[in-house]
Amino acid sequence: MSFIAALPKAELHVHLEGTLEPDEMFRLAARNGITLPWESTDALRALYSFTGLEHFLPLYFEGCKVLCRREDYYDLTAAYLRRAASEGVRRAEMFFGPQTFLDRDIPTADQLGGILDAIADARTDSGIDGALIVTAQRHRTEAAALELLEALRPFRDSILGIGLGSAEAGNPPSKFARFFAAARDEGYRLTCHAGEEGPPSYIREALDLCGVERIDHGYTAAQDPDLVARLADDGVPLTMCPLSNLRLQVTADLSTYPIAEFMKAGVLVTVNSDDPPYFGGYVNDNYAALQQHLGLGPQELAALARNSFLGSFADRSEIDRALAAVAEHEATAS
Ligand code: HPA
Ligand code: ZN
């Protein structure tokens, strides 16, 4: 673990709402006068065992109810960035889905204002380079996603990218082709959850019909060797989340996790936490799980860290600086 702990890395797949620790959820509930449906943090934690994405999402949305005021979004983001920085994360590209909170009439300015202030303060405090990717929810309509894009306009220059999350089955990327085209026209970087529970064809749709630059998860590409070869040839990064895939029963066993075969095939795979308290680990726990179950050594772990920067939407000069830091870590640790 010590090689992993100080390994410089980027995290490219983490949902801010999914970083809410149970203690913090209860603290924010008390602060906002909200009664949670669980007696205690232990009672809540006892529910962190899921049969799939659609079993997990209602609990995740229930937890979101404690996020009300600007300072709640600030505290949430600040806590995640503090934790990430302590795990060697130098760059964090974080997902956030405003539609959950717009349903409760919480102004976008309060949501995004709190998050962006925390990103700025963390940059000063620890040097971590945080960035925001706003996700639309695919169980809703494309018209709702386009409305969200409109609501983001005042914040355009503070938002790095646009993604798509929530219930995948039955909600293919093709449903959001016009949404992604509109986001591209506005200059956003584009990424899409695909191939977590959905078939490989959803990954192809995200690339071919939505023009996304990166695939979040991409797990089911393992069923389609031609697609794996294409991902490698085209340099499409996959933001994989091993502990999430285990907890959501996407994969039965990490000893056969396809990240090893993707690496061998030349795919730019990365390791991420998704929703860390819910799935039993932050980013370093995910690296450690792969080290343990796949027998990855320092060279492979460093390759994954390099991929995390290469797959990021950071400027080339920042990527080069980070790659030099990974090389230095490898040199001093060996
Ligand atoms: N998949 C899709 N949407 C999500 C996830 C996930 O793993 N986590 C939070 N929103
Ligand atoms: Zn996710």
Side-chain angles (χ1 to χ4, degrees):
M1 188 69 166
S2 65
F3 181 81
I4 293 170
L7 179 62
K9 58 185 74 70
E11 177 147 59
L12 307 180
H13 186 155
V14 59
H15 300 263
L16 275 174
E17 308 93 307
T19 66
L20 195 53
E21 288 282 345
D23 290 341
E24 184 68 354
M25 196 188 293
F26 275 75
R27 188 181 75 90
L28 295 182
R31 183 158 94 177
N32 290 318
I34 290 167
T35 306
L36 287 167
W38 313 289
E39 288 243 309
S40 63
T41 54
D42 283 347
L44 171 57
R45 277 198 194 88
L47 301 175
Y48 288 179
S49 163
F50 307 104
T51 56
L53 181 57
E54 282 175 64
H55 182 210
F56 156 70
L57 286 170
L59 191 75
Y60 166 91
F61 289 129
E62 191 67 37
C64 286
K65 290 184 182 163
V66 304
L67 298 166
C68 306
R69 295 179 297 169
R70 184 180 176 119
E71 54 262 47
D72 303 334
Y73 300 91
Y74 180 96
D75 289 353
L76 174 75
T77 308
Y80 164 71
L81 287 170
R82 249 192 323 272
R83 174 68 187 254
S86 79
E87 296 208 359
V89 174
R90 299 196 167 203
R91 169 145 179 118
E93 299 183 1
M94 303 167 285
F95 294 128
F96 177 73
Q99 286 164 308
T100 309
F101 309 101
L102 289 169
D103 283 351
R104 286 190 282 125
D105 294 326
I106 298 167
T108 328
D110 289 359
Q111 305 175 34
L112 302 186
I115 292 169
L116 294 168
D117 284 352
I119 290 175
D121 288 350
R123 193 182 304 279
T124 307
D125 294 345
S126 69
I128 191 169
D129 179 19
L132 182 60
I133 299 178
V134 169
T135 49
Q137 293 169 347
R138 67 203 306 158
H139 65 276
R140 302 180 193 242
T141 62
E142 185 179 50
L146 287 163
E147 254 175 58
L148 171 65
L149 208 54
E150 201 60 42
L152 296 178
R153 190 144 295 138
F155 305 93
R156 169 63 198 92
D157 293 343
S158 306
I159 299 168
L160 172 68
I162 292 291
L164 187 68
S166 184
E168 187 179 9
N171 295 301
S174 53
K175 180 177 161 186
F176 293 89
R178 286 182 309 159
F179 166 65
F180 278 109
R184 186 172 42 252
D185 285 347
E186 292 191 37
Y188 288 108
R189 307 301 299 262
L190 303 182
T191 185
C192 182
H193 280 61
E196 180 181 16
E197 292 185 341
S201 63
Y202 281 24
I203 300 172
R204 292 180 185 277
E205 282 189 12
L207 297 171
D208 295 335
L209 304 181
C210 303
V212 307
E213 304 167 77
R214 201 156 80 190
I215 297 291
D216 300 311
H217 291 295
Y219 175 88
T220 64
Q223 301 164 13
D224 184 340
D226 290 344
L227 177 58
V228 173
R230 176 189 172 179
L231 295 170
D233 288 348
D234 294 351
V236 179
L238 301 185
T239 65
M240 301 193 78
C241 307
L243 291 175
S244 163
N245 291 159
L246 190 65
R247 280 289 178 100
L248 294 184
Q249 300 191 30
V250 166
T251 194
D253 178 359
L254 290 182
S255 67
T256 55
Y257 197 63
I259 201 165
E261 90 190 50
F262 290 165
M263 280 173 94
K264 280 198 196 86
V267 181
L268 206 157
V269 282
T270 68
V271 178
N272 308 274
S273 67
D274 211 4
D275 303 286
Y278 291 99
F279 300 146
Y282 282 80
V283 67
N284 286 351
D285 299 309
N286 278 272
Y287 275 82
L290 295 181
Q291 179 186 41
Q292 184 191 340
H293 292 279
L294 297 174
L296 301 188
Q299 286 182 350
E300 288 147 316
L301 295 166
L304 289 167
R306 274 195 297 278
N307 284 354
S308 72
F309 293 111
L310 290 167
S312 76
F313 295 144
D315 293 342
R316 186 68 226 191
S317 59
E318 287 168 36
I319 293 174
D320 287 341
R321 239 195 326 272
L323 295 179
V326 174
E328 191 182 321
H329 180 67
E330 272 190 288
T332 53
S334 62

